[in-house]
């Protein structure tokens, strides 16, 4: 393949020695860039008052990092506005939280045009372009309008909603149509592919020409999730590529840090109690409030377990410029305080709530200490915390994953995780009880099933699969 051109809202820059930041996606994509040479383009994170000047370019070996500033208005309207107050809630099926403003929609397209203008002069004819996530849906369309004929792929990290939800969004048709400018659309699960195709069908805009069976776009239990589509007079492919983590590396890290003083101190502080862990960005899609309700219900239903279990919820603030997120920070803190007030005793605090980000190594160590990983999003594209929790377990004494059926990760972790419906407090409370009382034999069987899958389909595999499908001539997709 030619050079790889990656475009995403933010660019994970390497450190002074040229090493990418730790964490799955950045490492895998950097490796692909290193192999083929290329560009990673995105927003610098800086805002300016007037029109941004030319992008800054940092060269690291064969990789150019191209960073553009944005105006403050654009950040408010494109990032905090249309992307995070319309697309994010709608795609997570929260119609009630979507806030439409015409100005913000215009800004979203303006920023996509700016990215296209920045990219076009840097392109060579055989470059392959890979665009990431909902901030940049119209980018391929803008590039095509500028005469770009390269292969362009898109990967959506968040779920794709059913037609009835998508159609509630003004300009949904522009968004849907603009995706036809890509050669390959990558989704997290086969359910997202189905929803996407369902939207095209209901709109009367196009349909599947042929389903791809086998080959690089069929993975694990999402086999057959790839389709070749004709819509809006374009032909393109859509397939599921469930994103993974650096499974083996994360497992090694968790084993290494388990002897660290901070992790040992935390274990001592539990005084022999079982540990339930929740780790999320503070976001309404993660179901944190419902999870705390379920934990409280578990305590109410199981008086004998009171004082014998501790829940640790780690949730750093995110998107604090969006009002819903700020309100949520206060609401969760209040809720934790209320549960502790109602059920705590002078020597036991039911919930420990940490409102900040922890280093990757610390997280790995905490996951390993935990008896139960409580991952209960109301809707999630994938949810990497679920996969990290599994990878971090001690093979001789693994913890149990309680996983929402509405996380993309549930498509791969069937047979291993205990599934729950986060809207059903009673059932989630029962799942917590089942997890805490599971025998070692069953824990091992379940963990091995999940770990086998995660080792086999890790983030490097994901990246390779996606790029292989993007590079394949459309007729060879199956
Ligand atoms: P996110 O919504 O950000 O990602 P997720 O998949 O859970 O969600 O990834 C979160 C990452 O942040 C994990 O690697 C986790 O370790 C880290 N993290 C979470 N809380 C942390 C804390 N307190 N301290 C430090 N690190 C923390 C979007 C989609 C997901 C999809 C990913 C990748 O919403 O569904 O899985 O992209 O495609």
């Amino acid at each position: 393949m030619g050079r790889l051109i990656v475009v995403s809202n933010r660019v994970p820059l390497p450190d002074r020695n040229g090493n990418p930041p730790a964490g799955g996606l950045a490492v895998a994509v950097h490796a692909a860039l290193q192999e083929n040479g290329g560009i990673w383009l995105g927003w610098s994170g800086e805002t300016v008052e007037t029109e941004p000047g030319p992008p800054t370019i940092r060269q690291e070996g064969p990789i150019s990092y191209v960073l553009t500033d944005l105006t403050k208005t654009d950040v408010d309207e494109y990032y905090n506005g249309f992307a995070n107050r319309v697309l994010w809630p709608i795609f997570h099926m929260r119609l009630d939280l979507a806030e439409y403003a015409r100005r913000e929609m215009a800004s979203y397209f303006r920023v996509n045009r700016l990215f296209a203008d920045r990219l076009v002069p840097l392109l060579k004819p055989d470059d392959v372009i890979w665009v990431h996530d909902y901030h940049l849906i119209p980018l391929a369309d803008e590039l095509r309008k500028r005469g770009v004929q390269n292969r362009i792929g898109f990967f959506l990290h968040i779920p794709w909603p059913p037609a009835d939800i998508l159609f509630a969004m003004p300009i949904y048709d522009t968004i849907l149509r603009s995706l036809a400018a890509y050669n390959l659309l990558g989704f997290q699960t086969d359910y997202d592919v189905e929803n996407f195709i369902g939207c095209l069908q209901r709109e009367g805009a196009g349909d599947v020409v042929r389903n791809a069976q086998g080959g690089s776009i069929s993975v694990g239990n999402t086999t057959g999730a790839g389709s070749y589509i004709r819509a809006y007079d374009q032909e393109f492919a859509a397939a599921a590529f469930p994103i993974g983590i650096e499974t083996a590396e994360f497992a090694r890290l968790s084993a290494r840090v388990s002897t660290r003083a901070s992790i040992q101190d935390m274990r001592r502080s539990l005084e022999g109690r079982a540990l339930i862990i929740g780790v999320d960005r503070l976001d309404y899609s993660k179901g944190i409030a419902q999870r705390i309700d379920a934990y409280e219900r578990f305590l109410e239903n199981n008086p004998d377990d009171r004082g014998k279990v501790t829940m640790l919820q780690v949730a750093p603030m995110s998107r604090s410029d969006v009002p819903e997120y700020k309100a949520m920070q206060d609401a969760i803190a209040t809720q934790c305080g209320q549960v502790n007030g109602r059920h705590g005793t002078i020597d036991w605090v039911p919930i420990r709530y940490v409102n900040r980000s922890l280093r990757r190594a610390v997280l790995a160590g905490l996951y390993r200490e935990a008896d139960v990983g409580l991952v209960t999003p109301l809707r999630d594209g994938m949810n990497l915390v679920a996969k990290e929790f599994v990878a971090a377990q001690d093979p001789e004494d693994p913890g149990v994953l309680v996983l929402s059926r509405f996380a993309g990760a549930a498509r791969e972790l069937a047979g291993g995780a205990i599934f729950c419906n986060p809207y059903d407090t009673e059932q989630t409370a029962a799942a917590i009880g089942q997890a805490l009382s599971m025998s070692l034999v069953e824990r091992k069987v379940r963990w091995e099933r999940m770990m086998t899958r995660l080792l086999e389909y890790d983030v490097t595999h994901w990246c390779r699969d996606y790029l292989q499908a993007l590079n394949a001539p459309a007729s060879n997709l199956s």
Side-chain angles (χ1 to χ4, degrees):
M1 81 179 236
R3 296 185 314 170
L4 174 62
I5 313 298
V6 181
V7 190
S8 54
N9 177 55
R10 294 304 304 274
V11 179
L13 287 175
D15 65 16
R16 254 179 272 142
N17 304 320
N19 299 316
L25 172 76
V27 173
V29 175
H30 271 89
L33 281 164
Q34 197 74 37
E35 198 175 310
N36 303 289
I39 296 172
W40 196 327
L41 181 141
W43 173 36
S44 63
E46 301 295 325
T47 52
V48 287
E49 287 304 322
T50 52
E51 276 309 287
T56 51
I57 300 182
R58 175 173 159 191
Q59 193 67 36
E60 284 286 345
I63 311 175
S64 310
Y65 298 92
V66 180
L67 304 173
T68 181
D69 297 341
L70 293 176
T71 65
K72 185 166 178 325
T73 310
D74 280 340
V75 173
D76 283 347
E77 295 178 358
Y78 141 84
Y79 181 73
N80 293 323
F82 192 69
N84 283 327
R85 295 195 80 191
V86 178
L87 291 174
W88 179 275
I90 298 259
F91 282 35
H92 287 87
M93 298 179 48
R94 291 298 302 268
L95 289 177
D96 56 319
L97 295 181
E99 291 274 346
Y100 311 106
R102 296 270 160 206
R103 226 184 31 228
E104 295 180 347
M105 294 179 203
S107 205
Y108 178 74
F109 289 95
R110 187 168 64 242
V111 170
N112 273 270
R113 284 197 293 276
L114 173 80
F115 273 47
D117 288 336
R118 295 284 193 244
L119 193 54
V120 168
L122 306 174
L123 290 176
K124 295 181 183 170
D126 61 346
D127 286 346
V128 170
I129 304 167
W130 189 5
V131 178
H132 285 260
D133 232 356
Y134 59 103
H135 315 89
L136 299 172
I137 291 173
L139 186 61
D141 191 41
E142 293 298 341
L143 290 169
R144 299 290 186 222
K145 284 178 184 152
R146 287 159 180 74
V148 172
Q149 291 181 353
N150 303 52
R151 290 191 75 72
I152 314 179
F154 178 74
F155 185 77
L156 183 69
H157 290 256
I158 65 176
W160 185 274
D164 279 338
I165 302 284
L166 184 79
F167 293 179
M169 180 175 82
I171 68 156
Y172 78 86
D173 44 347
T174 314
I175 293 291
L176 199 54
R177 176 186 292 271
S178 66
L179 282 165
Y182 288 96
N183 297 99
L184 174 66
L185 302 177
F187 296 92
Q188 296 277 25
T189 71
D190 52 340
Y191 291 167
D192 300 305
V193 178
E194 269 172 39
N195 281 343
F196 174 72
I197 292 169
C199 289
L200 292 176
Q201 290 168 335
R202 285 272 293 281
E203 183 69 354
D207 211 334
V208 173
V209 181
R210 177 163 61 83
N211 280 316
Q213 296 294 338
S216 64
I217 63 167
S218 115
V219 283
N221 56 6
T222 62
T223 299
S227 294
Y228 193 54
I229 292 168
R230 170 161 264 284
Y232 302 107
D233 293 329
Q234 305 286 336
E235 291 196 351
F236 54 95
F241 299 88
I243 193 168
I245 60 165
E246 286 181 287
T247 314
E249 192 269 340
F250 204 80
R252 280 193 295 273
L253 177 67
S254 77
R256 214 166 46 234
V257 300
S258 63
T259 53
R260 272 197 194 172
S262 58
I263 301 295
Q264 303 268 9
D265 287 350
M266 197 283 304
R267 181 190 302 150
R268 260 194 301 278
S269 75
L270 293 173
E271 297 176 327
R273 296 184 178 102
L275 178 65
I276 298 175
I277 193 166
V279 173
D280 315 77
R281 256 184 329 97
L282 202 49
D283 191 298
Y284 48 81
S285 67
K286 304 292 181 186
I288 302 171
Q290 290 80 355
R291 183 183 313 164
I292 294 168
D293 280 344
Y295 174 63
E296 183 172 27
R297 183 70 59 87
F298 164 77
L299 295 176
E300 286 164 358
N301 291 353
N302 299 277
D304 291 350
D305 283 307
R306 288 183 208 156
K308 294 187 186 150
V309 57
T310 296
M311 175 169 169
L312 171 61
Q313 176 64 53
V314 185
M317 191 63 199
S318 73
R319 302 178 192 166
S320 42
D321 292 335
V322 180
E324 289 78 21
Y325 288 77
K326 178 78 195 74
M328 207 190 137
Q329 183 179 26
D330 300 338
I332 299 290
T334 304
Q335 192 186 3
C336 289
Q338 284 168 342
V339 173
N340 285 337
R342 278 195 288 267
H343 302 280
T345 56
I346 53 170
D347 60 353
W348 171 56
V349 179
I351 305 183
R352 299 180 185 183
Y353 176 46
V354 180
N355 198 198
R356 67 184 133 94
S357 187
L358 297 179
R359 288 207 323 280
R360 197 172 140 74
V362 175
L363 272 187
L366 292 176
Y367 289 139
R368 195 177 177 96
E369 282 307 312
D371 299 278
V372 177
L374 205 43
V375 183
T376 59
L378 303 178
R379 182 119 337 233
D380 217 329
M382 178 52 60
N383 195 300
L384 297 181
V385 169
K387 294 187 170 182
E388 291 167 357
F389 175 80
V390 172
Q393 295 309 304
D394 176 356
E396 296 309 316
D397 186 18
V400 181
L401 176 65
V402 174
L403 179 62
S404 161
R405 57 180 299 169
F406 304 119
R411 293 297 291 140
E412 293 169 89
L413 301 179
I418 299 178
F419 285 165
C420 73
N421 169 5
Y423 296 95
D424 184 342
T425 311
E426 198 64 44
Q427 192 252 326
T428 307
I432 294 173
Q434 187 191 345
L436 283 169
S437 59
M438 192 180 286
S439 71
L440 177 61
V441 173
E442 186 176 351
R443 282 190 277 131
K444 279 185 169 176
V445 170
R446 284 175 175 265
W447 176 78
E448 270 162 26
R449 277 186 200 138
M450 295 190 282
M451 193 61 175
T452 303
R453 162 71 191 180
L454 297 184
L455 282 168
E456 183 191 301
Y457 201 76
D458 66 2
V459 72
T460 306
H461 197 147
W462 167 82
C463 188
R464 218 178 27 231
D465 254 15
Y466 184 89
L467 290 175
Q468 213 169 48
L470 177 57
N471 276 294
S475 54
N476 288 348
L477 195 68
S478 59

